[in-house]
Protein backbone atom coordinates (compact mmCIF):
# COMPACT_ATOMS: atom_id res chain seq x y z
CA UNK A 1 0.00 0.00 0.00
CA UNK A 2 1.39 3.38 -0.95
CA UNK A 3 2.00 5.89 1.81
CA UNK A 4 1.70 9.68 1.58
CA UNK A 5 2.86 12.29 4.04
CA UNK A 6 0.37 14.84 5.35
CA UNK A 7 2.26 17.64 3.62
CA UNK A 8 1.45 16.02 0.26
CA UNK A 9 -2.19 17.03 0.55
CA UNK A 10 -1.88 20.12 -1.63
CA UNK A 11 -3.74 21.16 -4.75
CA UNK A 12 -1.59 19.42 -7.34
CA UNK A 13 0.95 16.64 -7.95
CA UNK A 14 4.39 17.75 -6.85
CA UNK A 15 6.21 16.61 -9.96
CA UNK A 16 9.87 15.55 -9.93
CA UNK A 17 10.73 16.21 -6.28
CA UNK A 18 7.70 14.26 -5.12
CA UNK A 19 8.13 11.38 -7.53
CA UNK A 20 11.94 10.96 -7.61
CA UNK A 21 11.94 7.52 -5.92
CA UNK A 22 9.42 6.22 -8.45
CA UNK A 23 11.37 7.67 -11.36
CA UNK A 24 14.64 6.17 -10.14
CA UNK A 25 13.02 2.75 -9.85
CA UNK A 26 11.50 3.11 -13.29
CA UNK A 27 14.84 4.03 -14.89
CA UNK A 28 16.48 1.00 -13.30
CA UNK A 29 13.78 -1.27 -14.75
CA UNK A 30 14.38 0.18 -18.21
CA UNK A 31 18.13 -0.23 -17.93
CA UNK A 32 17.66 -3.87 -17.02
CA UNK A 33 15.24 -4.37 -19.89
CA UNK A 34 17.79 -3.03 -22.35
CA UNK A 35 17.58 -0.85 -25.37
CA UNK A 36 16.28 -3.62 -27.60
CA UNK A 37 12.67 -3.29 -26.49
CA UNK A 38 10.40 -2.52 -29.40
CA UNK A 39 8.68 0.89 -29.03
CA UNK A 40 4.93 0.54 -28.68
CA UNK A 41 4.19 4.01 -29.93
CA UNK A 42 4.07 6.04 -33.08
CA UNK A 43 5.32 9.60 -33.44
CA UNK A 44 5.69 12.12 -30.67
CA UNK A 45 3.60 15.27 -30.58
CA UNK A 46 6.45 17.29 -32.09
CA UNK A 47 6.84 14.77 -34.93
CA UNK A 48 3.11 15.01 -35.62
CA UNK A 49 3.35 18.76 -35.92
CA UNK A 50 6.26 18.46 -38.30
CA UNK A 51 4.26 16.04 -40.40
CA UNK A 52 1.44 18.53 -40.71
CA UNK A 53 -1.22 16.79 -38.63
CA UNK A 54 -4.40 18.85 -39.01
CA UNK A 55 -5.14 20.88 -35.92
CA UNK A 56 -8.25 19.87 -34.04
CA UNK A 57 -9.46 17.48 -36.72
CA UNK A 58 -8.91 13.81 -37.38
CA UNK A 59 -5.92 12.46 -35.47
CA UNK A 60 -2.84 13.20 -33.45
CA UNK A 61 -0.27 10.48 -33.06
CA UNK A 62 1.12 8.84 -29.98
CA UNK A 63 0.18 5.93 -27.79
CA UNK A 64 0.26 2.32 -28.78
CA UNK A 65 -1.46 0.51 -31.58
CA UNK A 66 -2.33 -2.44 -29.36
CA UNK A 67 1.30 -3.51 -29.62
CA UNK A 68 -0.12 -4.77 -32.85
CA UNK A 69 0.24 -8.34 -33.87
CA UNK A 70 1.66 -9.58 -30.58
CA UNK A 71 5.36 -9.09 -31.25
CA UNK A 72 7.98 -11.19 -29.51
CA UNK A 73 9.05 -8.34 -27.25
CA UNK A 74 6.77 -6.17 -25.19
CA UNK A 75 7.47 -3.73 -22.37
CA UNK A 76 5.20 -3.48 -19.34
CA UNK A 77 3.58 -0.05 -18.99
CA UNK A 78 5.90 2.22 -16.95
CA UNK A 79 5.15 2.39 -13.25
CA UNK A 80 4.20 5.88 -12.09
CA UNK A 81 3.11 7.58 -8.91
CA UNK A 82 -0.60 7.71 -8.15
CA UNK A 83 -0.02 11.25 -6.90
CA UNK A 84 -1.55 12.73 -3.76
CA UNK A 85 -5.18 12.44 -4.94
CA UNK A 86 -5.81 8.75 -5.76
CA UNK A 87 -9.08 8.27 -3.89
CA UNK A 88 -8.22 4.59 -3.48
CA UNK A 89 -7.83 4.61 0.29
CA UNK A 90 -4.05 5.01 0.25
CA UNK A 91 -4.32 8.74 0.98
CA UNK A 92 -7.48 9.36 2.92
CA UNK A 93 -10.78 8.89 1.11
CA UNK A 94 -11.67 5.67 -0.71
CA UNK A 95 -14.13 6.01 -3.59
CA UNK A 96 -13.55 2.44 -4.79
CA UNK A 97 -15.72 0.90 -2.10
CA UNK A 98 -18.68 3.17 -2.86
CA UNK A 99 -21.70 1.80 -4.70
CA UNK A 100 -21.84 3.32 -8.16
CA UNK A 101 -18.11 3.62 -8.83
CA UNK A 102 -18.31 0.89 -11.48
CA UNK A 103 -19.45 2.95 -14.46
CA UNK A 104 -18.49 4.13 -17.92
CA UNK A 105 -19.67 7.77 -17.71
CA UNK A 106 -17.48 9.51 -15.13
CA UNK A 107 -18.56 13.08 -15.84
CA UNK A 108 -21.04 13.16 -12.94
CA UNK A 109 -20.66 12.62 -9.23
CA UNK A 110 -22.58 9.69 -7.73
CA UNK A 111 -23.84 8.28 -4.45
CA UNK A 112 -23.94 10.67 -1.51
CA UNK A 113 -21.84 13.31 -3.27
CA UNK A 114 -22.96 16.84 -4.07
CA UNK A 115 -24.14 15.63 -7.48
CA UNK A 116 -22.06 17.94 -9.64
CA UNK A 117 -21.16 17.45 -13.31
CA UNK A 118 -17.70 18.17 -14.73
CA UNK A 119 -17.74 20.59 -17.66
CA UNK A 120 -15.32 20.62 -20.57
CA UNK A 121 -14.56 19.34 -24.05
CA UNK A 122 -15.95 15.82 -24.48
CA UNK A 123 -13.42 13.00 -24.22
CA UNK A 124 -13.81 9.24 -24.60
CA UNK A 125 -10.92 7.16 -23.22
CA UNK A 126 -10.34 3.54 -24.23
CA UNK A 127 -7.59 1.52 -22.56
CA UNK A 128 -6.68 -1.93 -23.86
CA UNK A 129 -5.06 -4.12 -21.23
CA UNK A 130 -2.83 -6.85 -22.70
CA UNK A 131 -0.50 -9.52 -21.39
CA UNK A 132 3.09 -8.34 -21.74
CA UNK A 133 4.47 -11.85 -21.25
CA UNK A 134 2.70 -12.97 -24.43
CA UNK A 135 4.24 -10.17 -26.48
CA UNK A 136 1.16 -7.98 -26.02
CA UNK A 137 -0.87 -10.33 -28.19
CA UNK A 138 -3.27 -11.60 -25.53
CA UNK A 139 -6.03 -9.37 -24.11
CA UNK A 140 -6.46 -9.41 -20.34
CA UNK A 141 -10.15 -10.16 -20.05
CA UNK A 142 -11.65 -9.84 -16.57
CA UNK A 143 -9.08 -7.39 -15.23
CA UNK A 144 -10.26 -4.01 -13.95
CA UNK A 145 -9.12 -0.43 -14.47
CA UNK A 146 -9.67 2.56 -12.19
CA UNK A 147 -9.17 5.97 -13.82
CA UNK A 148 -9.16 9.48 -12.35
CA UNK A 149 -8.05 12.91 -13.47
CA UNK A 150 -8.33 16.65 -12.91
CA UNK A 151 -11.27 18.74 -14.12
CA UNK A 152 -10.86 21.57 -16.61
CA UNK A 153 -9.81 23.97 -13.83
CA UNK A 154 -7.11 21.53 -12.68
CA UNK A 155 -8.86 20.43 -9.48
CA UNK A 156 -9.37 16.87 -8.22
CA UNK A 157 -12.68 15.72 -6.79
CA UNK A 158 -12.59 14.52 -3.16
CA UNK A 159 -9.48 16.62 -2.44
CA UNK A 160 -9.33 20.10 -3.99
CA UNK A 161 -10.94 23.18 -2.45
CA UNK A 162 -14.60 23.28 -3.36
CA UNK A 163 -14.55 19.70 -4.65
CA UNK A 164 -14.33 17.63 -1.48
CA UNK A 165 -18.05 16.78 -1.75
CA UNK A 166 -17.74 15.71 -5.39
CA UNK A 167 -16.45 12.40 -6.78
CA UNK A 168 -16.71 12.96 -10.51
CA UNK A 169 -13.96 12.07 -13.01
CA UNK A 170 -13.38 8.78 -11.21
CA UNK A 171 -14.61 5.35 -12.23
CA UNK A 172 -13.91 1.63 -12.54
CA UNK A 173 -14.66 -0.88 -15.27
CA UNK A 174 -13.97 -4.53 -15.95
CA UNK A 175 -12.10 -5.34 -19.17
CA UNK A 176 -14.07 -7.11 -21.88
CA UNK A 177 -12.99 -9.96 -24.17
CA UNK A 178 -10.75 -7.52 -26.04
CA UNK A 179 -9.15 -6.38 -22.81
CA UNK A 180 -10.80 -2.98 -23.18
CA UNK A 181 -12.48 -0.45 -20.95
CA UNK A 182 -14.03 2.78 -22.23
CA UNK A 183 -14.84 5.86 -20.18
CA UNK A 184 -16.84 8.95 -21.10
CA UNK A 185 -15.25 12.03 -19.61
CA UNK A 186 -14.04 15.57 -20.32
CA UNK A 187 -10.58 16.75 -21.32
CA UNK A 188 -8.54 17.55 -18.18
CA UNK A 189 -7.00 20.94 -17.59
CA UNK A 190 -3.30 21.66 -17.25
CA UNK A 191 -2.27 22.75 -13.79
CA UNK A 192 1.10 24.23 -12.73
CA UNK A 193 4.03 21.82 -12.90
CA UNK A 194 2.39 18.85 -14.64
CA UNK A 195 1.76 17.92 -18.26
CA UNK A 196 -1.92 17.09 -18.95
CA UNK A 197 -2.55 13.49 -17.96
CA UNK A 198 -4.91 10.80 -16.69
CA UNK A 199 -4.06 8.48 -13.81
CA UNK A 200 -5.01 4.82 -13.87
CA UNK A 201 -4.59 1.68 -11.80
CA UNK A 202 -4.95 -1.88 -13.09
CA UNK A 203 -6.33 -4.63 -10.88
CA UNK A 204 -6.46 -8.37 -11.42
CA UNK A 205 -10.25 -8.43 -11.14
CA UNK A 206 -13.25 -6.21 -10.55
CA UNK A 207 -13.55 -7.67 -7.06
CA UNK A 208 -10.01 -6.54 -6.29
CA UNK A 209 -10.72 -3.05 -7.62
CA UNK A 210 -13.89 -2.51 -5.60
CA UNK A 211 -12.12 -3.84 -2.52
CA UNK A 212 -9.24 -1.44 -3.24
CA UNK A 213 -6.67 -4.20 -2.94
CA UNK A 214 -4.00 -5.94 -5.02
CA UNK A 215 -3.12 -3.23 -7.53
CA UNK A 216 -1.02 -4.76 -10.29
CA UNK A 217 0.02 -1.61 -12.17
CA UNK A 218 -0.17 2.15 -11.64
CA UNK A 219 0.58 4.53 -14.50
CA UNK A 220 -0.47 7.69 -16.35
CA UNK A 221 -1.67 8.58 -19.84
CA UNK A 222 -0.27 11.70 -21.55
CA UNK A 223 -1.88 13.90 -24.21
CA UNK A 224 -0.23 15.26 -27.39
CA UNK A 225 0.59 18.97 -27.33
CA UNK A 226 -1.37 19.95 -30.44
CA UNK A 227 -4.62 18.53 -29.07
CA UNK A 228 -4.05 20.22 -25.71
CA UNK A 229 -3.55 23.57 -27.42
CA UNK A 230 -6.78 23.21 -29.40
CA UNK A 231 -8.78 22.25 -26.32
CA UNK A 232 -7.30 24.95 -24.14
CA UNK A 233 -8.32 27.63 -26.63
CA UNK A 234 -11.95 26.96 -25.64
CA UNK A 235 -13.99 28.46 -22.83
CA UNK A 236 -13.20 27.33 -19.31
CA UNK A 237 -9.58 26.30 -19.92
CA UNK A 238 -8.03 29.77 -19.63
CA UNK A 239 -5.45 28.94 -16.96
CA UNK A 240 -4.36 25.84 -18.86
CA UNK A 241 -3.02 27.96 -21.73
CA UNK A 242 -0.45 29.66 -19.52
CA UNK A 243 0.39 26.50 -17.59
CA UNK A 244 0.99 24.50 -20.77
CA UNK A 245 3.29 27.16 -22.22
CA UNK A 246 5.76 26.64 -19.38
CA UNK A 247 5.88 22.83 -19.78
CA UNK A 248 6.96 20.13 -22.18
CA UNK A 249 6.70 16.36 -22.15
CA UNK A 250 10.49 16.19 -22.12
CA UNK A 251 10.66 18.32 -18.96
CA UNK A 252 7.66 16.96 -17.08
CA UNK A 253 8.64 15.31 -13.81
CA UNK A 254 6.83 12.08 -14.72
CA UNK A 255 7.22 11.78 -18.48
CA UNK A 256 10.72 13.23 -18.89
CA UNK A 257 12.41 9.82 -18.87
CA UNK A 258 10.25 8.48 -21.67
CA UNK A 259 6.59 8.83 -22.61
CA UNK A 260 6.31 6.75 -25.78
CA UNK A 261 4.21 4.02 -24.17
CA UNK A 262 1.97 6.53 -22.44
CA UNK A 263 1.15 9.03 -25.19
CA UNK A 264 -2.44 8.51 -26.29
CA UNK A 265 -3.59 8.15 -29.89
CA UNK A 266 -6.06 11.00 -30.41
CA UNK A 267 -8.88 11.43 -32.90
CA UNK A 268 -11.66 13.98 -33.15
CA UNK A 269 -12.07 17.70 -32.70
CA UNK A 270 -13.14 20.29 -30.16
CA UNK A 271 -16.66 20.43 -31.59
CA UNK A 272 -17.16 16.69 -32.06
CA UNK A 273 -15.23 15.62 -28.98
CA UNK A 274 -12.04 13.56 -28.80
CA UNK A 275 -11.21 9.90 -28.40
CA UNK A 276 -8.01 8.84 -26.66
CA UNK A 277 -6.75 5.27 -26.94
CA UNK A 278 -3.81 3.57 -25.27
CA UNK A 279 -2.59 -0.01 -24.99
CA UNK A 280 -1.57 -0.99 -21.46
CA UNK A 281 0.76 -4.03 -21.29
CA UNK A 282 0.78 -5.58 -17.79
Amino acid sequence: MREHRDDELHEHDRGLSHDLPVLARRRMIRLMAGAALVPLVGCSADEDAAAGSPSGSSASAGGSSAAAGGGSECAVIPDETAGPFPGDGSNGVNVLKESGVVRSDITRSFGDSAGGTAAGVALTVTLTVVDAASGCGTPKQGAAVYVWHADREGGYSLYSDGLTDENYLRGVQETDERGQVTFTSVFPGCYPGRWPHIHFEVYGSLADATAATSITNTSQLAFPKDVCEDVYATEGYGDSVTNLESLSLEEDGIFSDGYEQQLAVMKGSVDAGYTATLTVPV
Side-chain angles (χ1 to χ4, degrees):
M1 186 68 71
R2 294 180 303 280
E3 296 181 356
H4 298 270
R5 301 187 304 273
D6 291 340
D7 63 356
E8 289 178 319
L9 290 174
H10 47 74
E11 277 300 300
H12 309 294
D13 301 47
R14 284 181 176 234
L16 182 59
S17 62
H18 171 261
D19 302 321
L20 189 57
V22 174
L23 294 173
R25 183 170 64 253
R26 176 175 156 191
R27 290 190 179 98
M28 180 61 67
I29 292 172
R30 288 187 172 183
L31 286 173
M32 293 173 65
L37 289 175
V38 177
L40 299 179
V41 200
C43 305
S44 69
D46 291 339
E47 289 169 335
D48 292 340
S53 178
S55 175
S57 56
S58 59
S60 180
S64 157
S65 58
S72 59
E73 293 183 274
C74 172
V76 173
I77 194 76
D79 184 43
E80 306 289 13
T81 176
F85 312 121
D88 61 2
S90 63
N91 192 17
V93 292
N94 189 342
V95 75
L96 295 177
K97 293 185 178 182
E98 295 185 19
S99 176
V101 72
V102 180
R103 59 197 185 135
S104 59
D105 186 343
I106 62 174
T107 57
R108 298 181 180 182
S109 290
F110 64 93
D112 295 329
S113 70
T117 300
V121 172
L123 175 69
T124 299
V125 181
T126 296
L127 303 179
T128 302
V129 183
V130 296
D131 181 22
S134 71
C136 292
T138 304
K140 295 282 285 186
Q141 181 177 4
V145 181
Y146 166 45
V147 302
W148 72 98
H149 63 82
D151 63 15
R152 70 178 179 181
E153 286 83 26
Y156 282 85
S157 66
L158 301 176
Y159 294 90
S160 299
D161 289 344
L163 299 180
T164 55
D165 291 332
E166 301 288 0
N167 55 22
Y168 55 52
L169 305 183
R170 299 176 184 274
V172 175
Q173 281 196 73
E174 183 178 33
T175 57
D176 62 17
E177 67 277 3
R178 296 172 296 176
Q180 291 184 344
V181 293
T182 298
F183 295 92
T184 300
S185 191
V186 295
F187 203 94
C190 178
Y191 54 79
R194 279 306 319 277
W195 189 261
H197 61 282
I198 290 179
H199 294 267
F200 61 90
E201 293 173 341
V202 180
Y203 293 79
S205 68
L206 186 61
D208 285 345
T210 54
T213 186
S214 302
I215 299 170
T216 64
N217 304 83
T218 303
S219 196
Q220 298 181 24
L221 173 154
F223 293 97
K225 182 179 181 180
D226 60 337
V227 174
C228 294
E229 290 175 334
D230 288 344
V231 171
Y232 296 160
T234 65
E235 182 179 0
Y237 289 95
D239 290 341
S240 293
V241 175
T242 302
N243 294 332
L244 187 72
E245 288 175 349
S246 64
L247 295 168
S248 73
L249 274 163
E250 291 75 16
E251 296 172 340
D252 179 75
I254 297 300
F255 300 123
S256 59
D257 63 339
Y259 53 84
E260 291 80 7
Q261 280 186 262
Q262 297 159 281
L263 191 63
V265 173
M266 304 294 300
K267 294 183 179 180
S269 66
V270 167
D271 292 335
Y274 285 97
T275 62
T277 58
L278 185 73
T279 296
V280 181
V282 298

